[in-house]
Amino acid sequence: MSPNYCYKAKRPWISSATIDSESSIITLKFNTTVKLTSTWKISDWRLEMFGPRKTYNFTYEVVNSNTLMASSSGSDTIQIAVTYPKQLYGYGMEYLVLTFIDRTH
């Protein structure tokens, strides 16, 4: 039996991106619910920091990855925690670039 109506799935895109006042939590809001497959790993994404320094040392992790896994209902929000030593100049001199290397997840 085939369905009476077929709807094209929305292609996810980031509708807003914010960072908290301590510059430690990045919140990405999507236009639709997103889920991560069980094969997803943090190396499927690349987060880079640019600014006056030649290099920046930092680590990052997805805070709400359990909510995003395919076995759950997913979410329209991804939160990424960024940890770095006191090395920022501030005043908008640094910026972050998140690249989804593997979009199949």
Side-chain angles (χ1 to χ4, degrees), residues 17-20 23-28 46-51 56 58-60 80-84 88 92-99:
T18 58
I19 192 161
D20 70 344
S23 297
S24 61
I25 300 287
I26 301 167
T27 300
L28 303 174
R46 181 177 55 238
L47 186 66
E48 299 171 282
M49 185 178 294
F50 298 96
Y56 290 86
F58 62 94
T59 59
Y60 64 97
I80 302 169
V82 183
T83 306
Y84 42 84
L88 302 182
M93 296 185 74
E94 287 90 11
Y95 61 96
L96 294 166
V97 175
L98 177 65
T99 305

Side-chain angles (χ1 to χ4, degrees), residues 33-38 40-42 45 61-80 105:
T33 300
V34 293
K35 293 182 182 184
L36 299 174
T37 65
S38 60
W40 175 84
K41 55 195 175 306
I42 196 71
W45 298 352
E61 66 177 331
V62 177
V63 177
N64 62 334
S65 60
N66 289 341
T67 307
L68 296 166
M69 289 301 177
S71 60
S72 74
S73 58
S75 177
D76 66 348
T77 303
I78 294 178
Q79 290 187 306
I80 302 169
H105 300 286

